[in-house]
Amino acid sequence: MQAHEIMISKVYKVKESDAVRSVVEKFMDHRISGLPVVNDRNEIVGYVSDGDIMRYIGKHQDVVVDFLYYSAVFRGDVEEFEARARKLLALPVMSIAKKKVITVSWDEEIEQIAAILGKKQIKKLPVERDGVLVGIISRGDVIRHAFKTIL
């Protein structure tokens, strides 16, 4: 079984010129956790995930080392958190997106797709054909198709 047989063809994506606001809106509207970032030719130039968002808005801490113990000194409050979140929404998506994106070809075999998803510990793989985004495959897609004839 090949990628084009199991991929989702309707891919939610963002353009490299979009702000992070577009990403967060798509995450919320479609209940998804990651998006390919494409240029005007629909070529994949990045990938942005909920983890990228969490790293930006997460609470930062400074660790103070003492001779007898470690204590974490937390900085910030609700207003500071909201200010970071507002600042994030205005950033260009490529400022937080991963630029080295793992993809598969549209004719990649399901066994190889499963191996990549497992080894790289990623949730989704964009699918390309002739350098252009044509679909996306999740871990769930692989599991559903791998076991549908057996169960």
Side-chain angles (χ1 to χ4, degrees):
M1 191 172 300
Q2 295 182 330
H4 65 90
E5 298 174 274
I6 65 172
M7 71 183 192
I8 304 299
S9 297
K10 183 182 178 190
V11 182
Y12 298 112
K13 59 191 174 189
V14 289
K15 296 230 179 216
E16 64 184 337
S17 58
D18 287 345
V20 173
R21 174 178 296 282
S22 295
V23 173
V24 174
E25 288 171 347
K26 285 186 172 138
F27 282 4
M28 293 171 65
D29 291 348
H30 304 293
R31 300 180 59 91
I32 56 177
S33 60
L35 291 165
V37 182
V38 298
N39 62 21
D40 290 335
R41 295 177 302 281
N42 208 38
E43 298 165 329
I44 302 165
V45 296
Y47 194 88
V48 63
S49 70
D50 53 0
D52 300 317
I53 303 289
M54 294 300 104
R55 278 186 288 283
Y56 190 92
I57 64 170
K59 194 173 234 182
H60 302 285
Q61 62 182 0
D62 296 325
V63 178
V64 179
V65 180
D66 198 306
F67 291 107
L68 302 174
Y69 64 92
Y70 295 95
S71 67
V73 178
F74 293 97
R75 293 186 177 159
D77 52 24
V78 173
E79 290 83 16
E80 184 179 325
F81 175 83
E82 289 176 356
R84 269 196 315 275
R86 278 191 293 280
K87 182 178 176 187
L88 171 65
L89 293 176
L91 289 175
V93 69
M94 289 306 291
S95 67
I96 67 165
K98 290 174 185 64
K99 285 126 185 111
K100 291 184 179 181
V101 183
I102 300 168
T103 65
V104 293
S105 174
W106 80 291
D107 59 353
E108 191 72 63
E109 295 292 333
I110 192 171
E111 294 88 354
Q112 184 62 26
I113 295 166
I116 293 167
L117 288 166
K119 183 177 181 181
K120 299 293 184 178
Q121 297 183 336
I122 52 179
K123 297 176 187 177
K124 297 178 185 176
L125 278 171
V127 180
E128 294 180 300
R129 183 173 188 183
D130 300 323
V132 174
L133 176 67
V134 293
I136 197 153
I137 297 175
S138 70
R139 292 177 183 177
D141 297 327
V142 172
I143 290 170
R144 276 188 293 283
H145 285 86
F147 294 101
K148 72 179 177 184
T149 59
I150 300 172
L151 296 178

